[in-house]
Amino acid sequence: AQSVTQPDIHITVSEGASLELRCNYSYGATPYLFWYVQSPGQGLQLLLKYFSGDTLVQGIKGFEAEFKRSQSSFNLRKPSVHWSDAAEYFCAVGVPNNNDMRFGAGTRLTVKP
Amino acid sequence: ETGVTQTPRHLVMGMTNKKSLKCEQHLGHNAMYWYKQSAKKPLELMFVYSLEERVENNSVPSRFSPECPNSSHLFLHLHTLQPEDSALYLCASSLSRGSEQYFGPGTRLTVT
């Protein structure tokens, strides 16, 4: 079965600084990859997804992620963080025709003024 | 309403109560999911319904009973819960198995 690891539990960045959140997955073939964001007391909102094709995917709110097969990674990036980006971020890996999407434990992002 | 809605948003219940959580999706999706989110734990998949048929039940205790009367509605019936069942319960839907899931806002459940 597939699995996903988010190595960083908590990250703090200054407003306006760049951001990279790490995600590593384990799966024998190319999986479906997702990033979600969750604000306190809310559900998860899809930021972006990768199924196939161009390995650099653009998402909402100025986020992008790059699929690197050689590193089994799908890191999330944003060039300039805004205070409203403070939230919990989840990486997820899915398998075609399978309901069992696996989520990472999440990375909590704090944004300093 | 659009997207995935869940009611109630907050629920406090005693261990002897019976209550139900409701989820409705307005996206025309064919699969629906229940997840449990506890503090400091990864998201736990509880149940999956695809085309109204339960296709997955991840060893969830029988005090949780799902129901999917049609492709737009999903319920989670609760009875004789334990304090450790206190959590955020999230509903999600997807167009097909494996595709991206869309989540509702969740029900914050507290068992006293």
Side-chain angles (χ1 to χ4, degrees), chain A residues 32 36 38 43 49 98-99, chain B residues 9 37 55 97-98 100-101 104:
Chain A
Y32 294 163
Y36 288 85
Q38 184 180 32
K49 62 188 179 187
N98 186 313
N99 284 312
Chain B
R9 292 294 310 275
Q37 188 178 35
V55 296
R97 300 173 72 170
E100 65 270 29
Q101 295 178 17

Side-chain angles (χ1 to χ4, degrees), chain B residues 39 75 108:
Chain B
F75 294 89
R108 172 66 63 186

Side-chain angles (χ1 to χ4, degrees), chain A residues 59-101:
Chain A
I60 62 171
K61 306 186 179 190
F63 285 94
E64 66 177 26
E66 186 172 12
F67 169 58
K68 292 187 177 181
R69 185 191 307 276
S70 61
Q71 298 176 21
S72 296
S73 69
F74 188 58
N75 294 349
L76 181 71
R77 299 194 294 250
K78 186 169 184 178
S80 178
V81 168
H82 188 261
W83 64 267
S84 60
D85 293 324
E88 188 99 20
Y89 291 80
F90 294 92
C91 181
V93 56
V95 173
N97 299 313
N98 186 313
N99 284 312
D100 191 9
M101 181 182 287

Side-chain angles (χ1 to χ4, degrees), chain B residues 1-7 24-27 105:
Chain B
E1 292 216 52
T2 59
V4 181
T5 58
Q6 289 187 243
T7 54
E24 184 173 1
Q25 59 98 358
H26 310 266
L27 300 168

Side-chain angles (χ1 to χ4, degrees), chain B residues 4 9 12 15 38 42 45 47 62-63 72 84-85 89 91 101 105-106 108:
Chain B
V4 181
R9 292 294 310 275
V12 179
M15 288 191 283
S38 305
L45 178 63
F47 300 105
S62 59
R63 56 186 183 269
S72 298
E84 60 265 28
D85 297 322
Y89 288 85
C91 173
Q101 295 178 17
R108 172 66 63 186

Side-chain angles (χ1 to χ4, degrees), chain A residues 22-44:
Chain A
R22 295 184 291 164
C23 172
N24 294 100
Y25 70 89
S26 173
Y27 183 63
T30 299
Y32 294 163
L33 295 162
F34 311 87
W35 274 100
Y36 288 85
V37 62
Q38 184 180 32
S39 297
Q42 299 296 316
L44 278 66

